[in-house]
Amino acid sequence: MRPMLLEFPDDPGCDALDRQYMLGGALLVAPVFSDDGTVDYYLPAGEWTHFLTGAVVQGGGWRREQHDYLSLPLLVRPNSAIVVGNEETRPDYDYTTGFTLRVYGMTDGGRAATAITDADGAVVVRFTVARDGQTVTVTWEGAPADWSVLLVGVDAVDQVDGGSVEQTAAGTRVTAAAGSTALTISLPNVD
């Protein structure tokens, strides 16, 4: 957990924030403290993506939202990659198998890095995601198994080297082929 001031030192809107925080470098969390579910929070500049709904939100100011007991403002920073496991019934399982690497808001020149650790905290898989023009490259070190990349909010891709493509409601899923060591994804040109 990091205070907003430390994560965004050049944004004066973050100077006095004490009810929201960054969870790691990618997730902004704004807890709901009111009985009626109303929450006011500050969102720094950029196109943020709501982790639970996939909605894209423009930052750079204050927001007021209504939430129930099963939701809260949980927003992903642009140029982020988050590993999401496939097991929902227990916390101790093989994290390197059957997961999804979710990629959010990759801008031209953007880079994201993330890692999977074992139960002792040792890094067993390390991912790097980079975008150069209309090409997104995903590379990794380690031996992940039965996994995929989800380009959140991306409706289509032109071509993929190193994997197969599936369109989902949340975005484009690319499943890495067995034995591949990198994925190269060509995005369509937007005119």
Side-chain angles (χ1 to χ4, degrees), residues 25-26 44-49 76-81 104-107 111-112:
E47 284 191 351
W48 295 69
T49 306
V76 183
R77 191 179 201 172
N79 295 313
S80 293
Y104 293 87
M106 292 302 293
T107 58
R111 289 181 54 84

Side-chain angles (χ1 to χ4, degrees), residues 79-113:
N79 295 313
S80 293
I82 299 175
V83 176
V84 178
N86 66 345
E87 178 63 53
E88 295 181 4
T89 61
R90 54 186 295 171
D92 56 338
Y93 61 94
D94 182 3
Y95 303 122
T96 63
T97 301
F99 62 88
T100 300
L101 177 66
R102 293 187 185 181
V103 177
Y104 293 87
M106 292 302 293
T107 58
D108 190 8
R111 289 181 54 84

Side-chain angles (χ1 to χ4, degrees), residues 45-131:
E47 284 191 351
W48 295 69
T49 306
H50 196 283
F51 185 80
L52 301 174
T53 67
V56 175
V57 180
Q58 188 62 44
W62 284 90
R63 299 184 55 82
R64 173 172 280 182
E65 295 176 0
Q66 192 83 22
H67 290 269
D68 61 20
Y69 291 108
L70 299 176
S71 71
L72 79 160
L74 180 61
L75 294 129
V76 183
R77 191 179 201 172
N79 295 313
S80 293
I82 299 175
V83 176
V84 178
N86 66 345
E87 178 63 53
E88 295 181 4
T89 61
R90 54 186 295 171
D92 56 338
Y93 61 94
D94 182 3
Y95 303 122
T96 63
T97 301
F99 62 88
T100 300
L101 177 66
R102 293 187 185 181
V103 177
Y104 293 87
M106 292 302 293
T107 58
D108 190 8
R111 289 181 54 84
T114 191
I116 300 175
T117 59
D118 63 14
D120 297 323
V123 173
V124 291
V125 180
R126 186 179 313 274
F127 289 97
T128 303
V129 181
R131 179 172 174 184

